[in-house]
Amino acid sequence: MSRLQNELSGNDDYKFQRKSCEDQFKFNRKLSVTLKEADASLESRDPSASLAKQKIAEGPIPPLLTWKIVEKKLPWGVVILLGGGFALAFVSQEYGLSKWLGTQLAVLKPLDPWIVNMILCIIVAAATEVTSNVAMCTLLMPILAELSLQLEVNPLYFMFPAAIATSFAFMLPVATPPNAVVFAYGYLEVIDMVRI
């Protein structure tokens, strides 16, 4: 026996860990035997279970969805629209545009906060008619957080109403993903959506 084994054999923690590992090994072996017995019992009761195993052994199962179907049926315009909005919001935050705009909006400090909030909600509601509401919300939240710091107001006072105002987009396909999905099927034109 080596010196290390002599030291470890006298250590109570080592004995406990070894006993724990042995117990875990015994449990795993019992579980494996039990699962094999349950599988054999299931096969004896249900012949379709062994049939399923034979099917799997025969070869690969065909996929439910192939790339050709996805390529034809998925409205890629919606995916690009949403992805572009997220990319725009990320870039503006990453390169400091959001912070810069927030500091530029500090000229609104002389106005009461409720007036600033109302102006922001009108601007956001109008802007989401021609831009993605998700992108607008993602873009505006850092700007509004910076603005609230400049105006010394709780950020939620500006951010919460603006987030709700981004949902007031009903007119164009770009406004919301559901509008884009409906438009992607080709039964509606943009002028039809504007009329409604």
Side-chain angles (χ1 to χ4, degrees), residues 21-157:
C21 288
E22 288 172 359
D23 290 343
Q24 185 67 37
F25 180 72
K26 288 177 186 174
F27 173 76
N28 287 346
R29 194 173 344 152
K30 286 180 184 177
L31 182 63
S32 175
V33 169
T34 306
L35 289 175
K36 285 179 185 176
E37 290 172 357
D39 189 36
S41 171
L42 180 64
E43 282 183 12
S44 66
R45 288 185 195 162
D46 186 11
S48 64
S50 60
L51 182 64
K53 285 186 178 180
Q54 289 173 356
K55 287 276 191 191
I56 291 172
E58 288 175 6
I61 299 171
L64 296 175
L65 189 64
T66 62
W67 178 249
K68 285 184 178 181
I69 294 172
V70 171
E71 192 176 22
K72 288 179 185 174
K73 301 284 184 177
L74 186 73
W76 288 102
V78 176
V79 175
I80 293 171
L81 173 75
L82 291 175
F86 289 131
L88 175 68
F90 174 76
V91 167
S92 67
Q93 190 173 3
E94 190 70 22
Y95 289 102
L97 178 64
S98 300
K99 189 171 185 178
W100 180 79
L101 278 173
T103 55
Q104 296 303 312
L105 290 174
V107 296
L108 301 173
K109 193 167 187 167
L111 299 174
D112 286 337
W114 70 270
I115 294 174
V116 174
N117 201 359
M118 188 171 63
I119 292 170
L120 289 172
C121 286
I122 291 170
I123 291 170
V124 168
T128 53
E129 293 296 340
V130 293
T131 61
S132 168
N133 62 352
V134 176
M136 181 60 72
C137 200
T138 309
L139 179 67
L140 276 179
M141 291 305 130
I143 294 171
L144 295 179
E146 187 64 33
L147 175 64
S148 64
L149 291 176
Q150 297 292 326
L151 300 182
E152 298 172 356
V153 178
N154 185 345
L156 290 177
Y157 185 74

